[in-house]
Amino acid sequence: MSAVRVHNFAISLDGFATGEGPTFEAPFGHAGIRLHEWAFATRFGRASHGQPGGSTGVDNAYAERFGPGIGAEIMGRGKFGPQTGPWEDLGTDREWRGWWGPNPPFHTPVFVLTHHPRPSIEMEGGTVFHFIDAAPKQALDLAREAAGDLDVRIGGGPTIVRDFLTANLIDSMHVAVVPILLGRGTRLWDGQEGLEERFDIETVSSPSGITHLSFTRRV
Amino acid sequence: MSAVRVHNFAISLDGFATGEGPTFEAPFGHAGIRLHEWAFATRFGRASHGQPGGSTGVDNAYAERFGPGIGAEIMGRGKFGPQTGPWEDLGTDREWRGWWGPNPPFHTPVFVLTHHPRPSIEMEGGTVFHFIDAAPKQALDLAREAAGDLDVRIGGGPTIVRDFLTANLIDSMHVAVVPILLGRGTRLWDGQEGLEERFDIETVSSPSGITHLSFTRRV
């Protein structure tokens, strides 16, 4: 069966995956871009933005695993946009097509979990956003069907990753710990006591200051 | 001026330095010994318990820095014992002399911060417990006087380390991140937003699975 993977999921030393107060201008709230600068500095990250260069060490080795073998992504509505509530009530915000421009970096079907379904949005480059109101297991069934033989990526945010961890649906997870203290926002680890009993955990620190955690579910 | 240092301060991946519900039998509550097994496995840790052997790699290199150059320790009452409230009300518990037996591993004056002062206790091997009701800066002044030219160690628990960080009194801090998820207890990082602006932070992962964080205050 295809695997369920998390990649390049960045948290602060104090465990926050997003800062407080996300807006259209600041998707990660007061965290700004600080959780993701390490990825932008890699060859993978620069190529994603059409730029040459970038580091080719351990940060890049992890970052590059984002795409290959993935046939679908599942994300929370909070990753898709900062709006809450029914789309019909949002005025011009209902035209929102995500933060990523016309050609998002997913290139597969993306299932956006929301209590407010809406018609799918087809983007350039193979990304199609589907909006579904589903529990983790149901969403995974849909994503697996869309992914064919390929794997499913759980894209976040933290609440979604937690929900899938709690449902024991994740096979492997890469977490990048950034050496900053955000102090507030949404934590990844809440309610995950004893996770080490289900996963082998490997840690490696990068000269960039990032610590990469690899969680591999025990068979 | 002598430096103020933190050593071998262990936290879980989710940031807890102690588990929930410390008792006489379980000083770290439901965490048990899991936060400190890495140190017991080092040559330093084994020698501290009169045992031969132990690892001599990066974990040991960090662990050994605990003692040299230290002339006094400051700890919270919660590190000294699980009792709370006035000592007079504690019955036979008022005979409590700490968890460490007749010859504690400190070998210096130790200032125990408590709202309930009591007479000092002199132990074997140079450790003298003084019980003082003082703010961080006052306590540090007393400890520095006792330490002479030597450094002062902030021994924890997490509330004490936080108080000294908040008061900007710590010069260097070694935190050992243990790859377990405790889920509950007392967190180290609460209220420490932006700590990276005052400290250089270095991370190194050990083959044991521990990640060592070195905080060095910028000059």
Side-chain angles (χ1 to χ4, degrees):
Chain A
M1 186 141 72
S2 68
V4 181
R5 299 155 42 186
V6 176
H7 289 285
N8 301 343
F9 196 81
I11 63 174
S12 60
L13 263 187
D14 48 352
F16 294 98
T18 66
E20 207 170 59
T23 63
F24 287 106
E25 292 71 35
F28 293 88
H30 84 290
I33 61 166
R34 290 178 290 164
L35 290 174
H36 304 95
E37 282 173 315
W38 70 273
F40 296 144
T42 65
R43 176 162 297 195
F44 168 82
R46 291 186 59 86
S48 304
H49 292 80
Q51 303 288 323
S55 67
T56 59
V58 63
D59 293 344
N60 186 60
Y62 271 97
E64 283 190 340
R65 300 188 62 234
F66 178 84
I70 294 289
E73 166 156 326
I74 297 171
M75 68 168 65
R77 182 180 176 183
K79 177 171 171 180
F80 180 74
Q83 316 91 335
T84 57
W87 301 97
E88 307 83 76
D89 301 347
L90 293 176
T92 55
D93 283 359
R94 90 179 78 163
E95 303 303 319
W96 180 252
R97 297 160 77 84
W99 269 287
W100 303 278
N103 186 354
F106 309 110
H107 311 300
T108 67
V110 173
F111 294 86
V112 180
L113 296 182
T114 168
H115 296 308
H116 303 284
R118 61 185 285 198
S120 299
I121 304 175
E122 191 165 347
M123 309 292 288
E124 295 170 24
T127 298
V128 184
F129 293 113
H130 301 291
F131 300 84
I132 61 173
D133 186 4
K137 181 68 175 69
Q138 296 172 288
L140 182 55
D141 287 345
L142 285 170
R144 276 203 157 115
E145 196 178 325
D149 292 336
L150 298 177
D151 294 344
V152 174
R153 186 176 50 235
I154 306 300
T159 311
I160 296 295
V161 174
R162 264 196 256 134
D163 288 348
F164 278 79
L165 283 173
T166 300
N168 199 21
L169 294 173
I170 290 178
D171 294 300
S172 71
M173 175 170 72
H174 163 225
V175 176
V177 183
V178 181
I180 60 174
L181 281 289
L182 286 177
R184 52 207 163 93
T186 306
R187 286 194 169 94
L188 173 60
W189 300 125
D190 282 0
Q192 300 303 322
E193 178 180 346
L195 195 62
E196 71 279 5
E197 294 164 15
R198 291 192 275 127
F199 288 86
D200 291 319
I201 306 174
E202 186 184 304
T203 67
V204 63
S205 49
S206 162
S208 69
I210 302 300
T211 299
H212 297 281
L213 307 174
S214 302
F215 287 71
T216 307
R217 188 159 64 164
R218 302 206 176 112
V219 288
Chain B
M1 186 143 70
S2 67
V4 181
R5 299 155 41 186
V6 176
H7 288 285
N8 301 342
F9 196 80
I11 63 174
S12 60
L13 262 186
D14 48 352
F16 294 99
T18 66
E20 207 170 60
T23 64
F24 287 107
E25 293 71 36
F28 293 89
H30 85 290
I33 60 166
R34 290 177 290 164
L35 289 174
H36 304 94
E37 282 173 316
W38 71 272
F40 296 144
T42 64
R43 176 162 297 193
F44 168 81
R46 292 185 60 85
S48 305
H49 292 81
Q51 303 287 323
S55 67
T56 59
V58 62
D59 293 343
N60 187 62
Y62 272 97
E64 283 190 340
R65 299 189 62 233
F66 177 84
I70 295 289
E73 166 157 327
I74 297 170
M75 67 168 64
R77 183 179 175 182
K79 177 171 171 180
F80 180 74
Q83 316 92 335
T84 56
W87 300 96
E88 308 83 76
D89 301 347
L90 293 175
T92 55
D93 282 0
R94 89 178 80 159
E95 303 304 318
W96 180 253
R97 297 160 76 83
W99 268 286
W100 303 278
N103 187 352
F106 308 109
H107 311 300
T108 67
V110 173
F111 294 86
V112 181
L113 297 181
T114 168
H115 296 306
H116 303 285
R118 59 183 287 198
S120 300
I121 303 176
E122 190 164 346
M123 309 292 289
E124 294 171 24
T127 298
V128 183
F129 293 113
H130 301 291
F131 300 84
I132 61 172
D133 187 3
K137 181 67 176 70
Q138 296 173 288
L140 182 56
D141 287 345
L142 285 170
R144 275 203 158 116
E145 195 178 327
D149 292 337
L150 298 177
D151 294 344
V152 174
R153 186 175 50 235
I154 307 301
T159 311
I160 296 296
V161 174
R162 263 196 258 133
D163 288 348
F164 278 79
L165 282 173
T166 300
N168 199 22
L169 293 173
I170 290 179
D171 294 300
S172 71
M173 175 169 74
H174 164 225
V175 176
V177 183
V178 181
I180 61 174
L181 282 289
L182 286 177
R184 52 209 161 94
T186 305
R187 286 193 168 96
L188 173 59
W189 300 127
D190 282 0
Q192 299 304 321
E193 178 179 346
L195 196 60
E196 72 278 5
E197 294 163 16
R198 290 192 277 128
F199 287 88
D200 291 320
I201 306 174
E202 185 185 305
T203 67
V204 62
S205 49
S206 162
S208 69
I210 302 299
T211 299
H212 298 281
L213 306 175
S214 301
F215 288 71
T216 307
R217 188 159 63 165
R218 300 204 178 114
V219 286

